[in-house]
Amino acid sequence: MANLSHPRGDITSHPDASEMQARYDRVLGGRDVALVDGPVFLLGLYCAVSPWILHYTTSQPALATHNLVVGIAIALLALGFTAAPARMYGLSWAMCALGVWMIISPWIVGDGPDAGVIWNNIIIGTLAVILGAVCAVTAAKSTPRS
């Protein structure tokens, strides 16, 4: 029988060890807000499906479409934060703007919305502003000044 087990050795002798370490540092660099990516994605999904959860698709069709589009935008921002954090965290302030828009949208897009619809959008908007600010502040702290 042949011995197919590989001996456990030190990887520092590997010819590409320094390149692998640099790549690892580059990938993990600036990921202080990685724990925010998941909640942002879930917030976007909830925003997109909230008209069907709260059953206001027939009473507020314009607001239902609006929440679907804005929810998809928030979820796509979260996916961007995860896929390309160094490039995308600059858009954290855009998520804050989407949050402010979600807060005021029931009165602009909606047609006499009831209290449940208003509170739903206020809570979603407030969470988007908070999570966007956390992403933006943390990204600003981790970006080296030149």
Side-chain angles (χ1 to χ4, degrees):
M1 272 253 174
N3 183 7
L4 297 178
S5 64
H6 298 286
R8 303 257 184 228
D10 190 12
I11 195 165
T12 57
S13 62
H14 192 277
D16 295 329
S18 61
E19 181 183 340
M20 288 188 296
Q21 182 63 40
R23 181 180 295 169
Y24 180 78
D25 291 340
R26 211 172 38 248
V27 168
L28 290 182
R31 297 297 296 155
D32 296 337
V33 291
L35 294 177
V36 179
D37 297 348
V40 169
F41 183 72
L42 292 175
L43 179 70
L45 287 182
Y46 174 74
C47 180
V49 300
S50 65
W52 290 273
I53 292 174
L54 298 178
H55 304 291
Y56 62 88
T57 54
T58 55
S59 66
Q60 299 287 331
L63 198 56
T65 305
H66 167 270
N67 279 18
L68 176 67
V69 171
V70 173
I72 290 171
I74 292 173
L76 287 175
L77 277 173
L79 290 176
F81 293 160
T82 302
R87 294 180 182 176
M88 291 295 293
Y89 277 121
L91 291 176
S92 300
W93 293 111
M95 196 168 72
C96 293
L98 283 173
V100 171
W101 174 247
M102 282 299 295
I103 292 171
I104 62 173
S105 66
W107 296 281
I108 297 173
V109 178
D111 183 32
D114 63 353
V117 174
I118 292 171
W119 277 108
N120 179 58
N121 278 24
I122 288 174
I123 291 170
I124 291 171
T126 303
L127 288 173
V129 168
I130 291 169
L131 291 172
V134 167
C135 289
V137 168
T138 308
K141 285 182 183 177
S142 66
T143 304
R145 301 277 179 201
S146 53

